[in-house]
Amino acid sequence: MAGLLDRIRRAHRPPFHTLSPEMARAAYGVAAEVLDFPRAPLARVQAVTVPVGAGVNCPARLYAPSHERLPVMLYLHGGGFVIGGLDTHDSLCRQFALRAGVAVLSLDYRLAPEHRFPCAVEDSFGALQWLAGEGATQLGLDGRRLAVGGDSAGGTLSAVCALLARDAGLPLALQLLITPGTTAHCDTRSHEVFANGFLLESDSIRWFFDQYIDVAHRTDWRFAPLLAPDVDGVARACFVLAECDPLVDEGVAYADRLRAAGVPVDLELYRGVTHDFIKLGRVLPESELAQAAAAQVLREALLG
C-alpha cells in the first residue's frame, strides 16, 4: 500500500478538489479500474432503465452469473456523490455477482452539483422500491430476496436505504457497507490522523460535501446516518473497513450503534490499507480477501 501511494504521488495527479466536477469525473473514469481485477465474463450483463419516482429514470446495469430467477443486490457506487458511475464500478459489481452467485443491479444515480442532496437518496431508495416490486419481475429476478450495498458515498446511501426500507416495511436481507461515511462534520480522530497522504484527502472530502449538500443540512440523517433517531430493526449489516481511512472511525461507530440496537453485524477491518482498497485487486491481496468475504456474507444472506 505504501509503495502504491508513493507511485501515485510521483504521478502528480491533480487532486479532485482542484478540478471542476466534469474534470474530476473524467479523471476518475480514466483511473478507476486501472488497478482493479479484469472484468469477469458473466452470463448476463444488461443495460436497464430504472424509474425512481417523480418522472425520473436512472440508467442501471444488471449483472448475473446465470439467467435463473436469482435474488438481487442494488449496488450504489462511491465517488463522493459527485463522481463515479456504471463504468467505474463495473469490475467490482461483476466480482460480487460471480462470487456470491446473485444478481447485482448497479444504479447510475444523479450526481451533484447538478443534482444536490437529497436527489441521490431519492434515486437510490426509489430504485430499491422498484426492485422490491415490479422491477424484479420485469428482470426475471426474485425481489423477495433483496440486499443493498455500496462503497464510500454509496455505502452512506446504502445505510440510509436500509433505514428507509425499515420505515416502509420493505424486507431487506442485508446492507453491505464498504468504507461508508456516516457522520456530518468529518470530526472523528481518523479524519485528523489520515487527513493527507492516504489516497482520500481531507480537502477532497470537503470539496465533495460542498458540491453535494449545504452546511445547514448536514445534520439530516439521510446524509449522516449515525444521526438517525433510531436504528432498531434495520437489516443485517456487513461492514468492510480500511484501517488507514479518514472514514474508518465513523464506520466503526455506526457498526457499534447497530450492534447496540440488536442488529446482526459482520465487520472486517483490513489493516494497512486505505479508502478504496477494495478496487485495487491487481496490487493488493487484501482487496481479493475483502471481495471474497463480502460476497460470502451476501451469499449467506440471499441464498441461505
Side-chain angles (χ1 to χ4, degrees):
M1 188 79 247
L4 175 58
L5 292 175
D6 185 58
R7 292 198 297 275
I8 291 171
R9 281 190 291 269
R10 286 189 277 113
H12 298 295
R13 293 178 182 168
F16 290 130
H17 66 270
T18 66
L19 303 175
S20 69
E22 295 80 7
M23 293 171 64
R25 288 168 193 157
Y28 186 55
V30 168
E33 290 198 332
V34 169
L35 298 178
D36 212 338
F37 290 115
R39 294 180 174 181
L42 291 170
R44 189 178 179 191
V45 179
Q46 176 183 340
V48 177
T49 299
V50 178
V52 295
V56 177
N57 296 303
C58 289
R61 189 176 294 162
L62 176 66
Y63 305 87
S66 74
H67 292 273
E68 298 174 17
R69 189 168 177 267
L70 298 171
V72 58
M73 173 175 69
L74 175 68
Y75 195 82
L76 305 169
H77 67 79
F81 311 101
V82 178
I83 63 178
L86 302 181
D87 289 336
T88 61
H89 287 66
D90 188 88
S91 173
L92 184 60
C93 289
R94 287 171 184 262
Q95 289 293 330
F96 282 139
L98 184 65
R99 294 172 187 264
V102 304
V104 175
L105 184 70
S106 179
L107 182 72
D108 201 7
Y109 56 85
R110 291 174 293 171
L111 299 176
E114 296 88 346
H115 304 282
R116 289 169 64 83
F117 175 84
C119 287
V121 173
E122 293 169 348
D123 292 353
S124 300
F125 189 59
L128 192 67
Q129 290 177 300
W130 178 78
L131 263 184
E134 64 182 18
T137 301
Q138 290 177 15
L139 296 173
L141 303 172
D142 185 357
R144 296 170 301 175
R145 294 180 290 169
L146 184 62
V148 66
D151 61 289
S152 193
T156 306
L157 293 170
S158 298
V160 171
C161 279
L163 289 161
L164 292 170
R166 175 204 62 185
D167 295 345
L170 190 160
L172 199 62
L174 182 73
Q175 49 180 319
L176 173 59
L177 309 180
I178 303 168
T179 60
T182 67
T183 64
H185 298 300
C186 305
D187 53 1
T188 65
R189 173 67 173 159
S190 60
H191 275 281
E192 179 182 344
V193 173
F194 303 114
N196 297 291
F198 295 90
L199 200 62
L200 179 61
E201 305 275 329
S202 61
D203 287 342
S204 291
I205 296 174
R206 285 193 289 270
W207 180 81
F208 285 133
F209 285 6
D210 288 344
Q211 301 296 320
Y212 178 57
I213 187 170
D214 295 338
V215 173
H217 296 154
R218 292 184 190 177
T219 54
D220 189 315
W221 66 265
R222 294 172 299 168
F223 171 68
L226 190 60
L227 301 181
D230 72 87
V231 297
D232 299 38
V234 298
R236 173 186 177 183
C238 174
F239 286 81
V240 176
L241 305 180
E243 180 185 16
C244 305
D245 181 358
L247 307 186
V248 65
D249 285 355
E250 59 202 83
V252 172
Y254 194 59
D256 286 347
R257 184 155 186 229
L258 295 183
R259 282 197 185 104
V263 177
V265 171
D266 299 275
L267 185 149
E268 199 69 46
L269 176 64
Y270 290 85
R271 300 291 182 179
V273 294
T274 69
H275 194 79
D276 224 23
F277 81 100
I278 201 165
K279 295 177 81 289
L280 302 173
R282 292 181 193 259
V283 292
L284 293 180
E286 291 84 358
S287 177
E288 181 164 13
L289 291 172
Q291 289 188 17
Q296 179 60 34
V297 176
L298 182 61
R299 174 185 283 273
E300 292 171 359
L302 290 181
L303 294 174

